[in-house]
Amino acid sequence: MAARVLFSQCCFSEPLPVWLGLVTHPNQNVPHNSSLYKKPFVESFEETPLWVAVLTYMGYGILTIFGYLRDFLRHWDIEKCHVARERDEQKDFVPLYQDFENFYTRNLYMRIRDNWNRPICSVPGAKVDLVERVTHDYNWTFEHTGKVVKDVINMGSYNYLGFAENTGACADAALEVTKMYGVGVGSTRCEMGNLDIHEEMEQLVARFLGVESAMAFGMGFATNSMNIPALMGKGCLILSDELNHTSLVLGARLSGSTIRVFKHNNMQSLEKLLRDAIVHGQPRTHRPWKKILIVVEGIYSMEGSIVRLPEVIALKKRYKAYLYLDEAHSIGALGPNGRGVVDYFGLDSKDVDIMMGTFTKSFGAAGGYIGGKKELIDYLRRHSHSAMYATSMSPPVAQQIITSMKIIMGEDGTTLGADRLRQLSQNTTFFRRRLHEMGFIIYGNDDSPVVPLMLYMPAKIGAFGREMLKRNIGTVVVGFPATPIIESRARFCVSAAHTREMLDTVSPISNMKHKRQKFTFIFSPPPYSYLQHGLFLL
């Protein structure tokens, strides 16, 4: 079975030894300039076994057939219809609800909907408490039982450094600021909502990133979707990684720029697009592009891979393009100082034109930031829709960011920040190694705290999530259309707050038997009602 493993031979002068058994997938390229890397760069993306792919397509095919059958029964009122439909008196109007577009939601997602949107009634730390709920109509509606599921190990939250807590320095500081400023601001930054705590936070962020200036926003998603249109427009070209987050995709589309997509982390694909853009220029007129912007992420949240930033920067400099780096998942989680993927590779932050990140993951807060040259930030303050029209960030949230960032930088007078960074790295290495030793197929970089474990078949999405919860382990399961149809997975997010005992509890995945040629669940049999409605069809 072929595996695609990427390895930068920065420490070797000769080719990799044959005994490593590493085979590069044709869609991925080994870094061609190893001098750009200061340490080994290892990522693995094992091919989907052929028989697994066939069974997965069969599973979706069977579910689709049953879906059309149930739609037929709903149409003739043989089966009760829970979905919104057009009223008969509106049949001549343009339909609000497209049956075909909602087919997947009605007939596939609803079968396993109980794995998502679970209400939490505690701090989302290393362990969480869940409100117990039941359904009597196969996940169309839920009822709370009044009971609480206690001490569920939280492997789904982006709480990389463990700052999502209600005790300690961050919580105490946020409480004091709440007493002083209140919770809401009630205005935009450009009117009456610019507080001294906001300016203090932005100065600290700029110092943390090593850039001239920085600007904060109240929502991470809007940081991308509302600022890219302010920077790019008609006559500009955006080169986007095929696995970029939806906020980046939306921002690129709203900008009106021409968008071209390159293969994930593939420098040959990116370089070809850059060359073609410079040689041919704009379509029809062949005029030079006004701006060319390369858009990448630090850690890709669904793949667990890390951007090949040294090579991206080298191409950016060679072809005189601009670079937009989204560090939503990498800031605080990578690098010896927790300063993201730039720190991880030991690069100069000045080589990245636009540094974007969020405070929602490693800092346990909310919102996002953009850092760069002072001219860039001053321009965004005047032209960004998110800056001009959005309400200012809540003061206690800003204080949470300030306190947690100072802890990471060591400016609180303790070693707590360094200890958490070290603990996260150790937990990531331990958890990935354990899963790999047990034979599970996992994706991503060895240093990434995002750990996708491949499930493949649609029936295993629901089964895995339910069985993990039975064992007091909360995780995220993901399937099509969020992933390719044959690459459904469970995604674990490792945290510095996790203890070795917690990871030991999770890593055996409780009674799941797995070999690379055979993937078998030996869970307790599913309830009859699930079998009756096709939930466990493969």
Side-chain angles (χ1 to χ4, degrees):
M1 175 174 16
R4 42 190 166 115
V5 179
L6 319 177
F7 200 101
S8 175
Q9 301 180 47
C10 55
C11 300
F12 308 98
S13 58
E14 300 196 347
L16 289 173
V18 177
W19 53 264
L20 279 177
L22 304 181
V23 181
T24 305
H25 188 268
N27 287 339
Q28 301 286 344
N29 62 303
V30 175
H32 57 269
N33 191 350
S34 60
S35 63
L36 297 175
Y37 293 82
K38 299 179 181 179
K39 61 178 180 179
F41 183 77
V42 184
E43 292 192 341
S44 62
F45 300 89
E46 189 165 323
E47 291 282 7
T48 303
L50 178 60
W51 70 272
V52 173
V54 172
L55 288 177
T56 301
Y57 281 119
M58 288 177 58
Y60 276 107
I62 293 172
L63 289 171
T64 301
I65 292 172
F66 272 89
Y68 279 113
L69 174 61
R70 298 185 71 179
D71 276 356
F72 175 80
L73 297 177
R74 294 185 188 115
H75 177 73
W76 293 102
D77 294 327
I78 300 174
E79 179 180 329
K80 184 178 180 181
C81 182
H82 297 275
V83 297
R85 292 189 296 183
E86 301 292 336
R87 291 184 294 182
D88 291 338
E89 56 266 29
Q90 293 179 321
K91 61 182 180 180
D92 294 328
F93 288 80
V94 176
L96 293 175
Y97 308 103
Q98 295 290 339
D99 283 346
F100 183 77
E101 292 176 2
N102 295 327
F103 178 86
Y104 185 89
T105 301
R106 290 195 309 274
N107 297 300
L108 282 79
Y109 167 72
M110 278 297 173
R111 296 174 179 266
I112 54 176
R113 181 171 168 241
D114 56 302
N115 284 282
W116 294 280
N117 310 316
R118 291 174 177 143
I120 296 173
C121 55
S122 69
V123 176
K127 291 186 177 182
V128 296
D129 297 337
L130 301 181
V131 176
E132 187 180 71
R133 61 181 185 175
V134 295
T135 177
H136 303 290
D137 53 6
Y138 308 105
N139 297 333
W140 286 98
T141 61
F142 293 96
E143 295 179 6
H144 295 166
T145 64
K147 300 179 181 178
V148 174
V149 183
K150 294 282 189 179
D151 296 328
V152 177
I153 299 176
N154 182 7
M155 298 298 297
S157 296
Y158 311 127
N159 184 28
Y160 297 129
L161 293 180
F163 283 115
E165 51 194 1
N166 57 0
T167 59
C170 292
D172 294 341
L175 179 60
E176 291 301 318
V177 167
T178 303
K179 293 177 180 178
M180 182 182 300
Y181 293 94
V183 175
V185 178
S187 182
T188 64
R189 290 286 298 276
C190 61
E191 294 173 345
M192 296 293 292
N194 188 31
L195 306 180
D196 56 349
I197 196 172
H198 293 142
E199 297 192 357
E200 178 188 355
M201 174 185 60
E202 290 177 342
Q203 292 170 9
L204 180 64
V205 171
R207 189 155 50 85
F208 180 67
L209 298 175
V211 296
E212 292 180 9
S213 185
M215 184 177 183
F217 304 88
M219 182 181 179
F221 191 97
T223 305
N224 280 330
S225 61
M226 292 290 99
N227 283 296
I228 293 178
L231 298 170
M232 305 294 287
K234 188 175 181 180
C236 298
L237 174 65
I238 294 177
L239 303 180
S240 177
D241 189 290
E242 65 179 349
L243 296 183
N244 274 343
H245 189 262
T246 305
S247 59
L248 293 169
V249 175
L250 178 61
R253 290 175 177 173
L254 291 176
S255 70
S257 304
T258 300
I259 304 169
R260 291 175 184 166
V261 179
F262 61 92
K263 295 177 181 178
H264 175 55
N265 247 354
N266 191 314
M267 297 302 106
Q268 294 174 350
S269 176
L270 174 58
E271 185 168 18
K272 183 179 184 302
L273 291 179
L274 284 167
R275 285 179 176 175
D276 291 345
I278 292 173
V279 170
H280 301 294
Q282 299 183 41
R284 294 192 300 273
T285 64
H286 299 291
R287 293 175 181 172
W289 296 99
K290 295 178 181 178
K291 282 178 281 190
I292 299 177
L293 181 68
I294 303 170
V295 181
V296 294
E297 294 186 45
I299 291 179
Y300 290 84
S301 60
M302 206 57 70
E303 305 294 321
S305 57
I306 298 175
V307 65
R308 297 187 189 179
L309 192 59
E311 294 180 78
V312 174
I313 289 177
L315 290 176
K316 167 241 176 188
K317 290 181 177 179
R318 184 183 307 164
Y319 293 99
K320 311 298 181 186
Y322 295 100
L323 176 58
Y324 187 108
L325 175 62
D326 180 345
E327 292 218 72
H329 287 267
S330 55
I331 192 69
L334 285 182
N337 303 301
R339 297 180 181 178
V341 70
V342 175
D343 186 31
Y344 175 78
F345 286 112
L347 302 173
D348 188 349
S349 58
K350 295 182 176 61
D351 290 332
V352 180
D353 301 287
I354 306 158
M355 297 186 69
M356 178 272 173
T358 63
F359 302 118
T360 54
K361 282 83 176 177
S362 296
F363 304 96
Y369 67 82
I370 284 184
K373 293 184 178 179
K374 187 176 184 302
E375 294 82 2
L376 167 70
I377 304 304
D378 289 344
Y379 174 85
L380 288 177
R381 291 189 193 279
R382 298 190 303 271
H383 295 87
S384 169
H385 286 79
S386 187
M388 296 294 292
Y389 302 111
T391 303
S392 299
M393 182 182 290
S394 175
V397 173
Q399 184 60 50
Q400 168 77 16
I401 297 166
I402 292 172
T403 307
S404 59
M405 192 171 290
K406 286 184 176 180
I407 291 174
I408 296 172
M409 298 170 70
E411 295 185 1
D412 63 330
T414 70
T415 61
L416 181 59
D419 293 342
R420 294 197 183 200
L421 291 169
R422 182 171 57 254
Q423 188 64 47
L424 175 62
S425 178
Q426 292 175 355
N427 285 351
T428 298
T429 302
F430 171 78
F431 190 66
R432 281 184 167 271
R433 185 178 66 246
R434 283 295 301 275
L435 293 180
H436 182 74
E437 289 172 352
M438 295 176 64
F440 290 102
I441 299 175
I442 57 175
Y443 274 11
N445 192 285
D446 283 359
D447 295 326
S448 170
V450 179
V451 186
L453 185 150
M454 305 310 294
L455 300 176
Y456 298 114
M457 300 179 190
K460 289 180 179 175
I461 301 173
F464 188 91
R466 295 188 188 105
E467 293 297 331
M468 291 291 279
L469 185 58
K470 286 181 182 179
R471 290 151 177 82
N472 259 34
I473 301 170
T475 188
V476 174
V477 287
V478 190
F480 180 81
T483 67
I485 194 168
I486 60 172
E487 293 186 6
S488 299
R489 65 199 67 178
R491 184 184 63 181
F492 298 100
C493 291
V494 181
S495 171
H498 289 139
T499 63
R500 189 60 56 90
E501 290 74 20
M502 293 179 189
L503 298 179
D504 275 330
T505 302
V506 175
S507 53
I509 320 294
S510 301
N511 295 335
M512 183 194 297
K513 184 190 295 181
H514 173 89
K515 295 181 180 178
R516 291 187 182 277
Q517 287 77 30
K518 188 173 182 179
F519 199 119
T520 308
F521 281 93
I522 55 176
F523 292 146
S524 56
Y528 172 75
S529 60
Y530 288 143
L531 288 170
Q532 185 181 29
H533 285 261
L535 264 168
F536 284 79
L537 289 171
L538 289 181

